[in-house]
Amino acid sequence: VGSGRCATRTFSLGQDIYTATLAPADASYVSGGRPEAGWLYVQESSRIASDSHLDETSVTIGVTGPLSLAQATQLFFHNLAPAFNHTFDWSHQLPFEPGFMLMYERTQRMLAFGEGGPFGGDIEPHVGASFGNILTGGMAGVRARTGFRLHHPWLLAAQSATPEIAFFIDATMHGVVRNEFLAGTMFRPSDHVQERPFVPEYQGGVSVRWHKLIAMYSVDRTGSEYTTRATGHSWSRLALEWRFVP
C-alpha cells in the first residue's frame, strides 16, 4: 500500500445469540425484556495499518430468525450439560429478515514508550461508525496498555523467546440510532424494546503473547441498553489466537 503500510483482508463466518430476561425459577418470557434473537452472518474485513494508525472496514451480510440456527445451537450446547443449564422460551424470537452492515473504525496510537523493553505502554483513541438495518450508530473511545516487553498493537513484531505481557483498559461511548436486536425487525412487526441513545462500555484485561500464540482474558461491562432494563450487563471472555505468519 506504500512505505510503512500494510494491507490485509479476512473473511469470517459468525453467529451471535441474544437471550431475554427469564422469570425466576422457570424459562418463561418476561414482559418488557429484550426478545430472543439470532444472527448468522458472513463478513469481509479489510485493514490498512501503519505505525501510527489502523483503518478497518467491514461488510457483513446475514439473516435473523430461525434460519440463524440460534435456538438449535443453544439447545445443542445446553444438552451437553443439562444439570447446569435450563431451556429458554424462543416464542418471542425475532422473525426472519436479511440483514447487512457496513462498518468503519480508525485507531490512533499515541504516547508510546518502551516498546520491546522491560516496561512500556501506549494510548489508543478510536472512533467508528456503522450503517445498516442490523446496526446504525457511532462510537468513540480510548484504550490504554502497559506491560512487559510490549510490542506494537497491530503490526507484526519479531518473534522472541521472552513473552509479552500486556494489561489494558478501554472506555467507549456508543451512540445508537438503530439496533435490530432491540428495536426489532425493520420490515415486519416483531417484539422490541425502546433503545437508549447512548450506551457506555468498559473493558479491562490481560494478554500474553509468545511466539505465534496469543492468550487474552477480559472483563466487559455495558450500561443499560434499553429503557426497561435498569442495570447494565457484565461478562468475561477468554480467547486463544494462533497467527499463521512466516
Side-chain angles (χ1 to χ4, degrees):
V1 180
S3 178
R5 305 181 75 189
C6 176
T8 60
R9 173 177 291 178
T10 61
F11 297 88
S12 57
L13 172 68
Q15 182 187 54
D16 295 342
I17 299 175
Y18 302 89
T19 55
T21 302
L22 302 179
D26 64 38
S28 60
Y29 177 77
V30 175
S31 178
R34 69 184 300 161
E36 304 277 357
W39 169 234
L40 184 66
Y41 61 89
V42 292
Q43 182 181 82
E44 182 275 333
S45 300
S46 299
R47 293 162 46 112
I48 298 179
S50 70
D51 185 68
S52 62
H53 63 269
L54 171 68
D55 291 309
E56 298 179 87
T57 59
S58 66
V59 180
T60 307
I61 58 174
V63 294
T64 64
L67 289 181
S68 72
L69 305 178
Q71 182 179 7
T73 300
Q74 186 186 72
L75 184 63
F76 172 79
F77 283 101
H78 280 204
N79 284 342
L80 295 178
F84 300 96
N85 295 289
H86 52 75
T87 59
F88 282 77
D89 178 8
W90 282 84
S91 62
H92 292 260
Q93 178 181 190
L94 290 186
F96 166 78
E97 183 168 274
F100 80 98
M101 184 168 51
L102 308 176
M103 296 187 69
Y104 169 78
E105 183 174 2
R106 164 165 280 212
T107 303
Q108 197 80 20
R109 192 184 190 210
M110 304 171 58
L111 305 178
F113 66 93
E115 185 169 328
F119 178 72
D122 58 26
I123 303 293
E124 301 163 22
H126 51 90
V127 296
S130 59
F131 174 77
N133 66 317
I134 295 300
L135 180 64
T136 297
M139 51 81 76
V142 62
R143 179 184 178 98
R145 299 190 310 150
T146 188
F148 174 73
R149 301 294 185 189
L150 208 62
H151 296 297
H152 199 285
W154 52 74
L155 295 180
L156 294 177
Q159 293 189 34
S160 171
T162 304
E164 171 201 275
I165 303 174
F167 300 90
F168 56 88
I169 57 174
D170 188 291
T172 299
M173 178 61 74
H174 297 269
V176 182
V177 177
R178 171 181 167 77
N179 181 335
E180 175 121 342
F181 306 111
L182 299 175
T185 45
M186 177 175 285
F187 303 109
R188 63 171 69 182
S190 68
D191 287 278
H192 62 277
V193 292
Q194 180 62 50
E195 305 150 291
R196 294 189 187 275
F198 297 102
V199 180
E201 180 178 0
Y202 309 98
Q203 182 188 69
V206 59
S207 67
V208 178
R209 182 190 304 188
W210 183 66
H211 293 285
K212 299 179 182 181
L213 177 66
I214 301 174
M216 187 269 290
Y217 174 77
S218 68
V219 177
D220 298 69
R221 180 170 179 82
T222 63
S224 171
E225 296 181 277
Y226 52 96
T227 57
T228 51
R229 180 181 179 120
T231 61
H233 177 60
S234 300
W235 70 96
S236 61
R237 69 180 82 181
L238 177 65
L240 293 175
E241 177 183 345
W242 181 270
R243 295 190 173 181
F244 292 93
V245 294

